[in-house]
Amino acid sequence: MKNKLRSEVEKLTDMLIQHKDANKDLYMEMFDTESALKFKTIITDHIIPLVKETSNIIGRAGCSLNYYSNELAMIRDPKKRIFIQILFYPYGHSKVTLGVNAPFLQFAYSPVKENIKITRKLSIKSDEARFKVDELEIDEFAEEKIYNYMLEFLRDVIKYNT
C-alpha cells in the first residue's frame, strides 16, 4: 500500500475509533453466546458438508453450489448476523459472470433475537428481491430441517430456471 494511501486510511480509522469510543453504549461488544456457537457448529458440521456433497451430485448436470459464510468471524456487534449463503449456479452460467445475482438460500442467526431467519432468492435476475422462508428458534433448527430447506430450494430453483 502506498504511504499516502496508508496514512489517509489510518486517519479515517482513527476517526472511526474516536466515534466508537464516544458512543460505547451503542457499540456494546458481544462475544459468542452458547447459541451462536451452536449455530456456527451447525454450519461447519452439517451445512457445509451438505453443500459440498450436493454440489458434487448436481455437477453431473453442469450446475454447482458454492457457499459464503462468516461463521469463523467473531461477531462483535450484536446487530450483526452470523450467516451462511448457499449459491446455486445453473447450467450455462459461470460463477464469474453470475456473481452476486446467483439464486441463493441463506440461514442467518441473530444474536439479539436468538433466532434463525431463512431467506432465499430463486431468480438469476438482479431485480428480484429475496424473501423470507421461515424464522426459527435455535433449538428448532435440526439437521432434518436443513435437509428439507435445501431440497425445497433446489426443487424450486431448478423449476424456476429451466
Side-chain angles (χ1 to χ4, degrees):
M1 185 182 288
K2 300 270 186 197
N3 288 339
K4 184 174 180 176
L5 176 61
R6 182 179 186 87
S7 174
E8 291 300 317
V9 171
E10 286 176 352
K11 286 178 190 175
L12 291 171
T13 303
D14 289 341
M15 285 174 46
L16 287 171
I17 291 170
Q18 287 174 357
H19 176 73
K20 182 180 168 188
D21 289 344
N23 296 291
K24 281 194 189 274
D25 293 338
L26 297 175
Y27 296 98
M28 154 184 108
E29 193 161 307
M30 182 174 181
F31 296 97
D32 284 340
T33 62
E34 185 178 327
S35 296
L37 291 172
K38 181 178 180 180
F39 185 68
K40 288 180 176 188
T41 301
I42 289 169
I43 289 173
T44 304
D45 294 351
H46 300 291
I47 298 174
I48 291 174
L50 176 63
V51 170
K52 290 178 179 180
E53 187 175 351
T54 304
S55 188
N56 284 337
I57 296 168
I58 66 171
R60 295 185 353 230
C63 302
S64 66
L65 291 175
N66 204 351
Y67 67 91
Y68 176 72
S69 178
N70 69 346
E71 95 275 9
L72 297 177
M74 173 67 76
I75 306 300
R76 299 199 182 277
D77 181 346
K79 295 177 184 164
K80 297 235 169 117
R81 294 177 170 263
I82 302 165
F83 70 90
I84 182 164
Q85 191 169 55
I86 303 163
L87 305 164
F88 176 80
Y89 298 98
Y91 174 74
H93 295 275
S94 75
K95 293 175 186 177
V96 173
T97 59
L98 200 52
V100 294
N101 296 327
F104 66 82
L105 174 65
Q106 179 176 309
F107 301 103
Y109 172 75
S110 169
V112 172
K113 295 180 181 177
E114 291 200 346
N115 68 5
I116 298 167
K117 184 176 173 184
I118 300 135
T119 57
R120 70 182 192 176
K121 179 182 138 189
L122 299 178
S123 171
I124 58 175
K125 297 176 184 168
S126 61
D127 58 346
E128 180 186 289
R130 73 173 73 192
F131 63 92
K132 183 167 80 171
V133 174
D134 206 350
E135 204 165 307
L136 303 168
E137 297 301 315
I138 187 76
D139 294 332
E140 298 172 326
F141 195 59
E143 190 174 1
E144 191 64 35
K145 285 195 178 194
I146 296 167
Y147 295 159
N148 291 337
Y149 288 120
M150 176 68 98
L151 189 56
E152 181 182 330
F153 169 70
L154 288 173
R155 280 185 186 133
D156 292 346
V157 79
I158 290 169
K159 285 179 192 173
Y160 193 88
N161 290 291
T162 54

